[in-house]
Amino acid sequence: MWKVLPIALLQSALLALGQALLKYSLEELGSFSWSRAFFKSLFTNWHFALCGLSFGLASLLWFWLLKHFPLSVVYPLLSMSYVMGMLAANLIFHESIPLNRWIGLLLIMAGVILVVQK
């Protein structure tokens, strides 16, 4: 099952990239409001557009993964998007991550290794 890992990692990376772009685009806009001006600025924001593209590509890869591999293998591999998302939080958004979350990330990665082994 190791052959599923590179595609699953790419799919998880696209999910995490989409979330990071969504956070970045929303931070650029300032306070949320149900106004026409807010949504106009949201839908003309290129980070938001890239977020949608990233989610769309991740979905296409997910379709392919589901078609070619057992759900019991590919679904747990989605957890790698949590790992990548937390790395983005730390490296891009400079959020402070406590030790217990880093330990949790290591456990997720160990779980992924266990899932892909035959």
Side-chain angles (χ1 to χ4, degrees):
M1 283 296 159
W2 284 96
K3 61 185 174 182
V4 70
L5 195 57
I7 300 161
L9 286 173
L10 177 59
Q11 193 264 348
S12 291
L14 287 167
L15 282 176
L17 176 64
Q19 292 293 350
L21 286 166
L22 180 60
K23 179 171 175 61
Y24 189 80
S25 65
L26 291 172
E27 284 181 351
E28 282 184 326
L29 297 176
S31 297
F32 178 85
S33 69
W34 290 102
S35 67
R36 182 183 306 241
F38 176 82
F39 284 99
K40 181 181 177 190
S41 62
L42 178 66
F43 290 116
T44 56
N45 182 312
W46 70 274
H47 291 110
F48 187 71
L50 286 176
C51 161
L53 179 64
S54 181
F55 286 145
L57 291 173
S59 295
L60 290 174
L61 278 177
W62 181 242
F63 299 160
W64 189 87
L65 285 164
L66 284 175
K67 176 81 174 153
H68 293 92
F69 296 97
L71 182 63
S72 63
V73 172
V74 295
Y75 198 76
L77 297 182
L78 279 176
S79 63
M80 288 303 295
S81 64
Y82 296 123
V83 173
M84 294 175 192
M86 199 163 92
L87 291 173
N90 184 255
L91 300 173
I92 297 170
F93 297 104
H94 308 291
E95 295 179 9
S96 176
I97 312 289
L99 179 61
N100 62 329
R101 289 189 200 148
W102 289 113
I103 294 169
L105 237 70
L106 292 173
L107 292 172
I108 289 172
M109 293 188 306
V112 165
I113 290 170
L114 291 173
V115 166
V116 297
Q117 298 210 357
K118 264 197 164 188

